[in-house]
Amino acid sequence: MSKINAAITGIHAYVPEYILTNEELSTMVDTNDEWIQTRTGIKERHILKGEGQGTSVLGTKAVLGLLEKTNTKGEEVDLIICATVTPDMLFPATSNIIAHNTGCVNAFAFDTNAACSGFLFAVQTGRMYVESGLYKKVIVVGADKMSSIVDYTDRKNCILFGDAGGAIMLEPSTEDVGVMDADLHTDGSGKDYLYQKAGGSAYPPTEETVANREHFIYQEGQSVFKFAVSRMADVSADMMTKHNIKPEELAWLVPHQANLRIIDATARRMGIRKEQVMINIEKYGNTTDATIPLCLHDWESQLRKGDKIILSAFGGGFTWGAIYLKWAYDGDKVKKIQ
Ligand code: UT7
């Protein structure tokens, strides 16, 4: 019997309407467009507005589009995995809410959390369910409403993040396409550099945690930057070496979009040209779990069956990793939806 691969058979993404520009941010904190663009590559980000609007709104829109594009009925879906650091609530899982909103009534659903590497960790998890032969339609969602944990008085961090959701369908294939390999890592010594301190079981919410602004993202940018550059570059270059992929043979690097300088360093280390790298950080900023599916969505029409692609990320934890896959369909033949 030929091996079952887990192939990506569809992709969709959603960004909310409201655009927060560098100009608007410079009226909120002491910053400016030039600093933000030079240091990060970001021009604007999308923000989900409205009371009671959580990450499930972003994930739901992405999944509804995915179902439509892949001509899938909600009841056919076996499993939904949602990677997020900004769940609607601590429980139930945001994936539960998305499953309910999208009519995926026969699916079981759970969330994963690996910060900015979360989408990769969730894809690897979904891949295992498909490759086992037990499940036929697995949806992996990466979604974050980062604006819910951003301190808009902290100029170092508030310029970085945006809100978005993306979703892929994983299905079995016996062709030479799909997820080929994954190399994922965790190093808990990184926990002191990037975290949201309060709101969990160690520091439940109190008046004091709120007053101390401990429900927002804390990041030591320079330390995280150093780790991100070396880890993301190493893991991506090692994946090419392991599979004997020459730079010119790689169709696309799809990097987590945290900082343009980290992306450039990774591409340089892999010996690939800028034209081989998906970069949309200027439009969306860092949307944490959504950056990679958002890139795949924006570039879908250019993707061809058999394209060799490396997904790569680094995030809080620390967590990092790379996934090597062969694209499963011609993106220009996909049903167009609004
Ligand atoms: O996705 C999860 C993983 N996260 C990352 O990968 C993020 C990694 N880190 C970074 O991308 C960068 O460290 C940042 C973009 C967060 C910061 O860039 P940086 O080049 O490391 O800047 P810095 O923190 O060293 O700050 C340089 C200067 C400081 O001023 P002084 O002390 O040199 O006078 C800051 O106070 O820039 C100042 N600064 C700002 N100036 C204008 C910091 N934030 C701003 C700002 N506008 N928004």
Side-chain angles (χ1 to χ4, degrees):
M1 217 176 82
S2 33
K3 181 181 175 297
I4 299 172
N5 288 326
I8 298 178
T9 56
I11 172 102
H12 195 62
Y14 171 78
V15 289
E17 261 173 46
Y18 189 84
I19 296 175
L20 176 59
T21 61
N22 290 350
E23 284 71 25
E24 186 177 350
L25 274 170
S26 58
T27 66
M28 297 156 66
V29 288
D30 180 15
T31 189
N32 58 75
D33 178 53
E34 207 251 323
W35 190 96
I36 301 172
Q37 283 207 48
T38 315
R39 301 285 176 131
T40 70
I42 302 167
K43 292 183 184 164
E44 56 192 34
R45 60 297 283 143
H46 290 244
I47 304 293
L48 180 63
K49 299 267 188 183
E51 203 182 323
Q53 304 288 291
T55 292
S56 69
V57 172
L58 305 165
T60 295
K61 299 252 194 200
V63 171
L64 285 174
L66 178 70
L67 294 175
E68 190 182 341
K69 280 168 81 174
T70 55
N71 294 315
T72 307
K73 294 191 186 70
E75 56 264 34
E76 294 174 70
V77 176
D78 299 305
L79 165 62
I80 298 182
I81 304 171
C82 179
T84 186
V85 294
T86 52
D88 281 24
M89 295 170 269
L90 282 182
F91 70 90
T94 299
S95 55
N96 284 26
I97 302 166
I98 295 171
H100 175 71
N101 291 347
T102 55
C104 293
V105 289
N106 296 316
F108 71 110
F110 59 88
D111 290 358
T112 60
N113 178 346
C116 292
S117 311
F119 185 74
L120 298 191
F121 284 40
V123 168
Q124 170 74 337
T125 308
R127 169 196 180 193
M128 293 302 153
Y129 281 98
V130 173
E131 284 188 0
S132 71
L134 280 177
Y135 300 104
K136 302 274 183 284
K137 288 186 189 293
V138 173
I139 291 178
V140 178
V141 182
D144 273 301
K145 184 187 172 186
M146 294 306 291
S147 60
S148 66
I149 56 168
V150 164
D151 180 351
Y152 285 99
T153 66
D154 169 10
R155 71 171 182 169
K156 283 191 175 164
N157 289 306
C158 73
I159 53 131
L160 297 172
F161 297 97
D163 304 338
I168 59 163
M169 182 75 78
L170 286 174
E171 293 185 81
S173 171
T174 50
E175 291 187 69
D176 184 27
V177 293
V179 180
M180 298 286 129
D181 196 10
D183 184 11
L184 307 177
H185 299 270
T186 300
D187 176 358
S189 68
K191 70 177 178 14
D192 299 331
Y193 302 103
L194 177 50
Y195 57 80
Q196 178 191 335
K197 183 172 177 181
S201 55
Y203 301 98
T206 61
E207 283 180 16
E208 206 183 354
T209 62
V210 173
N212 292 340
R213 310 188 83 76
E214 289 168 357
H215 294 267
F216 294 123
I217 298 166
Y218 171 87
Q219 173 168 238
E220 290 179 26
Q222 280 189 8
S223 307
V224 177
F225 186 91
K226 278 182 209 142
F227 277 100
V229 165
S230 70
R231 297 286 192 266
M232 222 168 110
D234 283 352
V235 79
S236 311
D238 288 352
M239 188 61 90
M240 286 179 78
T241 308
K242 183 174 171 193
H243 292 276
N244 202 18
I245 305 167
K246 297 190 183 68
E248 63 275 17
E249 289 169 358
L250 188 74
W252 296 103
L253 166 68
V254 191
H256 171 54
Q257 315 276 308
N259 188 316
L260 189 55
R261 291 181 288 148
I262 299 173
I263 297 173
D264 287 344
T266 304
R268 265 198 308 279
R269 178 75 207 287
M270 295 166 81
I272 59 174
R273 291 171 296 116
K274 200 142 192 189
E275 295 72 39
Q276 293 166 280
V277 188
M278 293 188 192
I279 299 171
N280 58 14
I281 190 171
E282 72 282 0
K283 289 196 285 182
Y284 309 120
N286 181 352
T287 57
T288 302
D289 284 288
T291 58
I292 289 175
L294 196 49
C295 278
L296 289 171
H297 171 261
D298 281 5
W299 269 262
E300 185 182 29
S301 65
Q302 295 181 51
L303 299 175
R304 295 288 166 271
K305 186 171 179 178
D307 274 355
K308 292 180 178 177
I309 296 176
I310 289 180
L311 318 178
S312 172
F314 181 88
F318 293 129
T319 56
W320 69 99
I323 285 183
Y324 166 43
L325 58 88
K326 291 184 188 166
W327 198 249
Y329 61 92
D330 290 332
D332 57 348
K333 304 206 174 77
V334 168
K335 182 170 160 184
K336 302 271 181 298
I337 64 164
Q338 284 301 313

